[in-house]
Amino acid sequence: MPVAAGTAATPPLPEPPGLPDPLPEPAVEELRLETVLAALSDPLRLTIVRKLLLESEQFDHSCGWFGLDRPKSSLTHHFKALREAGVTRQRQYGLERRSHVRVADLNSRFPGLLDLVAAWQPHM
């Protein structure tokens, strides 16, 4: 299994210059384990985070990159839940929002958590 960029085994990727400011999110010291685990308790959200960890080739990804067959309103809800829990960071690029996992922040607060997410195998 490939190791996710920025998990315990590798350092996080640097942010490219000129990015839009992130949407509102909790500060690192405000991240709470019960809130993060609640966000990850939904199988779709867990799948989103796992895909970002294992398959991400660029910094931020739009909802379309995930290839999820769900209504836009449903996806918006799930991405917002992940951002508000502090799991992902979202930035507004014109009309679309793009996401990535807050690897360094989560690893500093909850060592090993993202390794567990990356190792998780969804039931098909």
Side-chain angles (χ1 to χ4, degrees), residues 68-122:
L68 302 169
D69 186 25
R70 301 287 170 97
K72 185 175 179 180
S73 60
S74 173
L75 292 176
T76 298
H77 163 75
H78 289 293
F79 281 97
K80 181 180 179 185
L82 288 168
R83 177 177 50 84
E84 289 180 345
V87 177
T88 59
R89 173 164 292 143
Q90 286 189 305
R91 299 175 193 275
Q92 190 79 35
Y93 291 82
L95 296 176
E96 71 180 9
R97 290 183 177 182
R98 298 182 188 172
S99 304
H100 73 272
V101 178
R102 294 175 59 182
V103 173
D105 296 344
L106 291 166
N107 280 341
S108 71
R109 292 281 290 154
F110 314 114
L113 177 64
L114 293 180
D115 292 327
L116 293 171
V117 172
W120 173 71
Q121 295 295 316

Side-chain angles (χ1 to χ4, degrees), residues 20-34:
D21 290 335
L23 297 174
E25 63 186 32
V28 177
E29 61 276 3
E30 296 171 338
L31 295 176
R32 304 206 28 104
L33 182 59
E34 63 273 19

Side-chain angles (χ1 to χ4, degrees), residues 22-72:
L23 297 174
E25 63 186 32
V28 177
E29 61 276 3
E30 296 171 338
L31 295 176
R32 304 206 28 104
L33 182 59
E34 63 273 19
T35 306
V36 170
L37 290 177
L40 294 174
S41 69
D42 182 276
L44 179 63
R45 292 193 292 260
L46 189 56
T47 299
I48 289 168
V49 174
R50 183 175 185 270
K51 183 172 176 80
L52 281 171
L53 289 171
L54 298 180
E55 301 176 25
S56 183
E57 296 175 0
Q58 298 176 1
F59 188 72
D60 291 338
H61 291 285
S62 66
C63 293
W65 177 78
F66 295 89
L68 302 169
D69 186 25
R70 301 287 170 97
K72 185 175 179 180

